[in-house]
């Protein structure tokens, strides 16, 4: 269910093994091409890195590494979205302790995840009762990999999934919070499982 080895997201070797295997003979036969395949394979492993994090003892934390791209009210709730570019860690984490109530995949488009049009993109919605997470595929992302299912118990900062190659993660905050409680601002960089969104 969770990444092994602990420093790589599940499936990392699936993306890296073919370019790395091709790099070996090509380095001898066509060095520039072989070097390109080597860089691609190592890049895939680096992209799927999964560093340890140290969650704070309280508060609702960021679900993803990246920049805050969305802070908006939706009826009586507040949504905070984090856009991940290709250099960010793409392993996503639980903002707070919860029991997963449902995990729902919705197919869709693959438009840039930082635009309003991304509302039509492929997504996975994780309902955690008091809050909801939405993992949104981006223009390059093609696979959303949830690690959790209904009934799973989560602690703050637990890994809940990853998105391969560019994306966004939104958290619909618990109803007791309003925009005045949000401690981050748009375009601020945040770290999954560590940066406090609301205390």
């Amino acid at each position: 269910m969770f990444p092994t080895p602990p420093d790589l997201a599940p499936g990392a070797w699936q993306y890296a093994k073919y370019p790395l295997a091709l790099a070996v003979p090509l380095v001898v036969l066509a060095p520039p091409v072989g070097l390109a395949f080597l860089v691609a394979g190592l890049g895939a492993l680096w992209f799927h890195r999964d560093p340890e994090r140290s969650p704070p003892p309280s508060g609702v934390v960021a679900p993803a590494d990246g920049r805050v791209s969305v802070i908006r009210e939706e009826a009586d709730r507040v949504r905070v979205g984090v856009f991940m570019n290709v250099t960010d860690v793409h392993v996503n984490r639980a903002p707070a302790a919860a029991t997963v109530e449902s995990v729902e995949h919705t197919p869709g488009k693959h438009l840039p995840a930082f635009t309003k049009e991304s509302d039509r993109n492929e997504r996975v919605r994780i309902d955690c009762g008091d809050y909801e997470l939405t993992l949104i595929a981006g223009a390059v992302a093609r696979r959303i990999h949830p690690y959790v299912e209904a009934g799973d118990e989560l602690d703050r900062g637990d890994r809940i999934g990853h998105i391969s190659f560019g994306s966004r993660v939104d958290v619909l905050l618990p109803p007791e919070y309003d925009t005045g409680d949000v401690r981050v601002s748009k375009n601020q960089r945040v770290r999954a499982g560590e940066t406090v969104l609301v205390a």
Side-chain angles (χ1 to χ4, degrees):
M1 178 176 170
F2 293 110
T4 50
D7 59 339
L8 291 176
W13 286 103
Q14 288 294 106
Y15 291 101
K17 66 182 180 183
Y18 294 112
L20 290 176
L22 289 169
V24 175
L26 287 172
V27 163
V28 176
L29 299 173
V33 178
L35 182 60
F37 275 92
L38 179 63
V39 169
L42 294 176
L45 293 178
W46 176 80
F47 180 90
H48 289 89
R49 67 200 185 278
D50 182 15
E52 291 297 328
R53 294 292 164 83
S54 300
S58 62
V60 177
V61 297
D65 283 24
R67 291 189 182 276
V68 176
S69 61
V70 173
I71 300 175
R72 68 171 180 249
E73 293 186 13
E74 295 184 3
D76 60 345
R77 304 285 290 275
V78 177
R79 179 178 298 275
V80 178
V82 179
F83 173 72
M84 298 174 283
N85 67 33
V86 294
T87 61
D88 290 314
V89 172
H90 276 58
V91 173
N92 309 133
R93 293 176 178 268
T99 300
V100 177
E101 295 191 358
S102 65
V103 178
E104 177 185 354
H105 175 261
T106 303
K109 296 183 179 294
H110 293 88
L111 301 169
F114 53 83
T115 66
K116 176 64 176 174
E117 288 74 21
S118 66
D119 289 346
R120 295 177 288 159
N121 281 13
E122 177 186 358
R123 63 195 55 233
V124 169
R125 178 176 164 271
I126 303 173
D127 184 349
C128 293
D130 284 343
Y131 65 87
E132 296 176 7
L133 289 164
T134 307
L135 283 61
I136 304 169
V140 180
R142 287 297 182 269
R143 292 297 304 275
I144 301 173
H145 307 271
Y147 302 165
V148 297
E149 57 188 27
D152 285 351
E153 298 287 338
L154 300 175
D155 286 329
R156 181 184 297 102
D158 279 354
R159 297 170 177 88
I160 53 93
H162 77 274
I163 311 174
S164 292
F165 306 111
S167 44
R168 193 178 100 202
V169 179
D170 290 3
V171 55
L172 192 62
L173 295 172
E176 62 265 28
Y177 297 111
D178 59 33
T179 53
D181 297 313
V182 178
R183 294 175 53 176
V184 296
S185 56
K186 286 190 72 171
N187 296 317
Q188 179 178 334
R189 287 201 59 82
V190 295
R191 283 168 59 92
E194 292 186 345
T195 304
V196 175
L197 302 181
V198 293

